[in-house]
C-alpha cells in the first residue's frame, strides 16, 4: 500500500521546477489551456485512494478527478474488464451507435444502466451521450421536442416549420426557454452554458440565451436551529419560480425546469425534500418536465444510487441526467420523451461502449462489496467528526453539510479557503473547492474510516494553524 507522506521542501522545489519545465516544453504545441493545471500526475503509480505525481509525491485523493472515479485508481475489477480478451474488439471498434450498434449493445445496457437497482425508479428508458454537458444538452432538446409534439398533437411538421427551421426562425425554431437556478452548473456546451450560473470566467465573451433564472435556496446552518428561516427561504424561491414561468409564458414559454439534486460547483448547496416536492408540484401543474441533473451526485456518491431518492418524490422526475461516477453519460426518461421520429436527438457516437464495460465492473463491485452502505457509514462518520472540528474552531470552519461522500464546509473567506487548500496539500491530501469559500470532499466509494482519520488529523493541524494566524 502507498502511504501518504508530507511533501518535503526539497520535493516542493523539484515539483515546481519539473512542472514548469514540462509546461514550457508543451506550451507551443499543446492546444489545451495549461494555466489550470495544478500538477502532472503519475497514473502508473497511483492506486486506490492515492494519487502520485511526477515528482514522487503521493496524495490521499479526496477529490478523485472532480468526483469521477468511483473505485479510485487502477482498481483490479476495472483493469480486469479492460484486459479481458473478449472486450478488446469492443474497445477497438467504436461504432456510431445510432446507426450500427453491436449485437451485444442492448444486452450491455440491460445489464448496466437499465438494471432495476440502477435505473431511477419509474424511468425505463435511457439515451447515452458523450459527456455530462452532452447529457444535459440532449435532455433539454427532449423537453423542447416534447413541447412541440404536444402542440402538434402528433401531426406532421407544417410547411412553414420546415422552411423556417434551417434559418433559426419560428415557427420551425420557436421561442421557448428552460428555467434554471442561480449557482447552477450544467456544463459548457452552448445551451448547457446558458443554464450555468456559476463563474464568470466560463461565460464572458460567449453569447447566451435569455432564459429565466430562479433563486436557489440559501440555507442558514446549523439546519436544526434554522428550520423556520429555511422554510421561508424555500417559499420565497418557489414563488419566484412560479412568477418567472408566468412572466415568460408571454414571450418564450418555459418548456422545462432543470435543477441539480445538490448544487455542487455552486458551493455544495442543498435544498430540502420539501423544496423538491413543491418544485415538482409546480412543474406538474404547469405541464412542464422536471429535469434533475445528477451528473455529479449519481452513481452512489450520496450513499444511494441517485441523490433524488432522498427526496421521496410523489412521482419520478421526468428526466434524470448522469455522468461522472457512472462513467457512461446520458439521461433516463419515461417513454413519453421518446421522439416520434428518428434522428431528432442524434450524434455520431451517442455514447461509448468502453465506458459501459467499466461501468459493468463498477456496478459489480458496488454490489459485492456493499459500497452504498459503506458510503453511508463512513460519510456519517466524516460528518460527525467535521461537526466536532466546527465546534472546536468556530471562527475558521462553519456550515458542515453533506450526504454520503458529497460533503462540504465553509471557511471565513476565499483567502482562508485558498490557504487551507495549500496547507493540506503540503501535508499530502488533495481536496477540491467550490463556490466562493467552500471546501468539498469527493472521495472514492472505497474510502474508509482509516483514510478519514488521516484526513481529519491533518485538517485539525491546518485549522489550528489558521486559528493562530
Amino acid at each position: 500500500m502507498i502511504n501518504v507522506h508530507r511533501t518535503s521542501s526539497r520535493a516542493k522545489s523539484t515539483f515546481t521546477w519539473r512542472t514548469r519545465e514540462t509546461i514550457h516544453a508543451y506550451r507551443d504545441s499543446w492546444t489545451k489551456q495549461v494555466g489550470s493545471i495544478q500538477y502532472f500526475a503519475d497514473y502508473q503509480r497511483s492506486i486506490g485512494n492515492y494519487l502520485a505525481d511526477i515528482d514522487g509525491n503521493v496524495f490521499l485523493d479526496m477529490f478523485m478527478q472532480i468526483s469521477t472515479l468511483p473505485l479510485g485508481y487502477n482498481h483490479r475489477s476495472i483493469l480486469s474488464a479492460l484486459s479481458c480478451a473478449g472486450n478488446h474488439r469492443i474497445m477497438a471498434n467504436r461504432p456510431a451507435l445510432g446507426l450500427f450498434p453491436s449485437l451485444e449493445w442492448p444486452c450491455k445496457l440491460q445489464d448496466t444502466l437499465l438494471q432495476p437497482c440502477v435505473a431511477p425508479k419509474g424511468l425505463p428508458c435511457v439515451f447515452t451521450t458523450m459527456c455530462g454537458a452532452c447529457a444535459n444538452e440532449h435532455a433539454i432538446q427532449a423537453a423542447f421536442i416534447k413541447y412541440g409534439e404536444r402542440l402538434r398533437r402528433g401531426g406532421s411538421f407544417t410547411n412553414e416549420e420546415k422552411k423556417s427551421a434551417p434559418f433559426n426562425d419560428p415557427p420551425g425554431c420557436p421561442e421557448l426557454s428552460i428555467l434554471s437556478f442561480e449557482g447552477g452548473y450544467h456544463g459548457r456546451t452552448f445551451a448547457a452554458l446558458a443554464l450555468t450560473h456559476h463563474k464568470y470566467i466560463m461565460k464572458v465573451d460567449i453569447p447566451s440565451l435569455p432564459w429565466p433564472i430562479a433563486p436557489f435556496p440559501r440555507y442558514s446552518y446549523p439546519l436544526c436551529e434554522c428550520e423556520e428561516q429555511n422554510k421561508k427561504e424555500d417559499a420565497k424561491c418557489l414563488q419566484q419560480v412560479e412568477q418567472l414561468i408566468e412572466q415568460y409564458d408571454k414571450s418564450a414559454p418555459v418548456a422545462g425546469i432543470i435543477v441539480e439534486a445538490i448544487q455542487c460547483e455552486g458551493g455544495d448547496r442543498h435544498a430540502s425534500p420539501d423544496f423538491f416536492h413543491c418544485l415538482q408540484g409546480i412543474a406538474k401543474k404547469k405541464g412542464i418536465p422536471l429535469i434533475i441533473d445528477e451528473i455529479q451526485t449519481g452513481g452512489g456518491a450520496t450513499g444511494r444510487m441517485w441523490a433524488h431518492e432522498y427526496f421521496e418524490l410523489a412521482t419520478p422526475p421526468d428526466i434524470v441526467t448522469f455522468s461522472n461516477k457512472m462513467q457512461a453519460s446520458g439521461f433516463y426518461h419515461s417513454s413519453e420523451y421518446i421522439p416520434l421520429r428518428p434522428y431528432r436527438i442524434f450524434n455520431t457516437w451517442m455514447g461509448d461502449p468502453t465506458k459501459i464495460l467499466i461501468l459493468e465492473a463498477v456496478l459489480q463491485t458496488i454490489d459485492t462489496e456493499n459500497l452504498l452502505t459503506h458510503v453511508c457509514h463512513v460519510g456519517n462518520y466524516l460528518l460527525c467528526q467535521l461537526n466536532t472540528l466546527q465546534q472546536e474552531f468556530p471562527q475558521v470552519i462553519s456550515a458542515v453539510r453533506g450526504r454520503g461522500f458529497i460533503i462540504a464546509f465553509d471557511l471565513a473567506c476565499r483567502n482562508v479557503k485558498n490557504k487551507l487548500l495549500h496547507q493540506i496539500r503540503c501535508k499530502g491530501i488533495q481536496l477540491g473547492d467550490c463556490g466562493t469559500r467552500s471546501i468539498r470532499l469527493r472521495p472514492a466509494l472505497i474510502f474508509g474510516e482509516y483514510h478519514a482519520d488521516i484526513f481529519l488529523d491533518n485538517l485539525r493541524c491546518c485549522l489550528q494553524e489558521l486559528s493562530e494566524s
Side-chain angles (χ1 to χ4, degrees):
M1 176 178 289
I2 297 177
N3 293 316
V4 173
H5 64 271
R6 297 190 180 187
T7 311
S8 68
S9 57
R10 178 176 177 274
K12 281 190 285 186
S13 175
T14 305
F15 162 83
T16 303
W17 180 79
R18 288 188 63 181
T19 300
R20 283 178 182 168
E21 179 188 59
T22 306
I23 288 175
H24 284 305
Y26 286 96
R27 186 179 298 276
D28 293 334
S29 58
W30 215 3
T31 58
K32 65 181 279 189
Q33 174 185 331
V34 297
S36 60
I37 292 173
Q38 297 182 13
Y39 51 82
F40 283 83
D42 183 348
Y43 294 110
Q44 298 296 320
R45 294 180 55 248
S46 302
I47 188 166
N49 291 289
Y50 297 98
L51 171 63
D53 74 8
I54 62 172
D55 299 305
N57 302 308
V58 178
F59 304 89
L60 176 62
D61 190 352
M62 297 180 66
F63 193 41
M64 281 291 152
Q65 308 294 319
I66 321 180
S67 193
T68 60
L69 297 185
L71 304 180
Y73 298 97
N74 293 308
H75 193 276
R76 60 188 179 281
S77 66
I78 294 175
L79 295 181
S80 177
L82 295 178
S83 62
C84 174
N87 289 333
H88 287 172
R89 294 190 186 277
I90 294 176
M91 292 185 283
N93 301 287
R94 186 176 188 178
L97 290 169
L99 297 175
F100 311 108
S102 65
L103 177 63
E104 65 268 16
W105 180 243
C107 295
K108 286 292 185 185
L109 290 181
Q110 288 293 335
D111 292 343
T112 54
L113 291 172
L114 293 175
Q115 278 191 66
C117 61
V118 176
K121 288 181 174 56
L123 300 182
C125 306
V126 69
F127 182 95
T128 53
T129 67
M130 294 304 304
C131 64
C134 301
N136 285 329
E137 196 88 19
H138 288 309
I140 64 174
Q141 288 178 12
F144 287 137
I145 290 170
K146 178 63 179 175
Y147 186 95
E149 289 179 345
R150 188 169 65 243
L151 292 181
R152 216 175 282 115
R153 298 182 179 180
S156 299
F157 305 130
T158 65
N159 287 332
E160 290 80 4
E161 288 174 326
K162 293 177 183 178
K163 289 178 181 177
S164 59
F167 299 96
N168 304 329
D169 291 329
C173 294
E175 293 290 340
L176 299 174
S177 63
I178 300 290
L179 185 144
S180 55
F181 289 85
E182 292 175 3
Y185 179 81
H186 300 286
R188 299 180 71 161
T189 51
F190 190 76
L193 189 60
L195 303 168
T196 291
H197 318 293
H198 176 33
K199 295 179 179 177
Y200 71 87
I201 196 68
M202 300 176 181
K203 305 192 67 160
V204 169
D205 295 332
I206 300 174
S208 194
L209 299 159
W211 290 348
I213 307 166
F216 192 80
R218 289 184 176 273
Y219 289 160
S220 299
Y221 289 85
L223 294 176
C224 58
E225 297 176 11
C226 306
E227 189 173 346
E228 286 304 313
Q229 182 179 344
N230 291 336
K231 281 183 178 179
K232 290 179 181 177
E233 178 71 4
D234 278 352
K236 182 185 74 173
C237 294
L238 291 163
Q239 183 182 33
Q240 288 277 330
V241 169
E242 292 203 81
Q243 289 175 353
L244 284 166
I245 292 172
E246 292 175 9
Q247 175 187 334
Y248 274 75
D249 193 49
K250 302 179 182 72
S251 55
V254 175
I257 298 172
I258 189 166
V259 63
E260 293 164 275
I262 299 169
Q263 278 197 343
C264 294
E265 297 294 330
D268 266 33
R269 292 164 61 191
H270 295 247
S272 68
D274 283 346
F275 173 84
F276 282 96
H277 275 266
C278 293
L279 183 63
Q280 185 181 55
I282 293 170
K284 293 290 183 187
K285 181 174 69 176
K286 301 290 186 179
I288 298 170
L290 178 62
I291 304 167
I292 295 190
D293 180 340
E294 293 245 27
I295 303 295
Q296 296 202 34
T297 53
T302 63
R304 297 190 184 182
M305 190 56 66
W306 306 103
H308 76 264
E309 293 176 36
Y310 286 99
F311 307 150
E312 298 182 347
L313 297 173
T315 58
D318 298 282
I319 295 173
V320 173
T321 60
F322 63 88
S323 188
N324 286 25
K325 274 190 167 60
M326 293 293 286
Q327 306 303 290
S329 304
F331 64 92
Y332 290 98
H333 58 96
S334 60
S335 57
E336 65 179 300
Y337 287 91
I338 299 175
L340 297 178
R341 299 167 181 81
Y343 285 103
R344 300 226 61 197
I345 305 177
F346 186 87
N347 60 58
T348 299
W349 281 318
M350 291 175 62
D352 183 349
T354 302
K355 301 305 181 187
I356 295 294
L357 296 178
I358 296 174
L359 176 61
E360 190 172 34
V362 169
L363 293 174
Q364 288 171 356
T365 304
I366 288 174
D367 180 46
T368 57
E369 298 185 12
N370 200 16
L371 288 182
L372 296 186
T373 300
H374 171 81
V375 168
C376 289
H377 173 78
V378 178
N380 287 337
Y381 175 76
L382 258 173
L383 281 170
C384 287
Q385 297 303 313
L386 286 169
N387 275 309
T388 299
L389 289 174
Q390 181 176 244
Q391 294 171 0
E392 188 177 345
F393 302 99
Q395 72 278 23
V396 184
I397 178 176
S398 62
V400 170
R401 56 202 182 274
R403 290 189 187 274
F405 283 167
I406 302 286
I407 296 175
F409 54 85
D410 288 352
L411 295 165
C413 63
R414 188 191 299 272
N415 287 340
V416 175
K417 176 190 73 173
N418 291 337
K419 284 181 183 178
L420 177 60
L421 285 172
H422 174 75
Q423 287 174 326
I424 205 157
R425 187 186 296 169
C426 288
K427 295 179 184 294
I429 297 174
Q430 177 69 53
L431 301 179
D433 69 330
C434 57
T436 304
R437 57 194 184 99
S438 299
I439 297 285
R440 57 175 160 172
L441 315 183
R442 296 293 190 270
L445 305 183
I446 60 172
F447 187 86
E449 282 191 26
Y450 165 77
H451 307 102
D453 286 336
I454 294 172
F455 160 67
L456 292 162
D457 288 345
N458 283 282
L459 178 61
R460 175 175 275 106
C461 292
C462 292
L463 294 174
Q464 184 69 52
E465 291 173 21
L466 287 170
S467 67
E468 293 172 354
S469 62

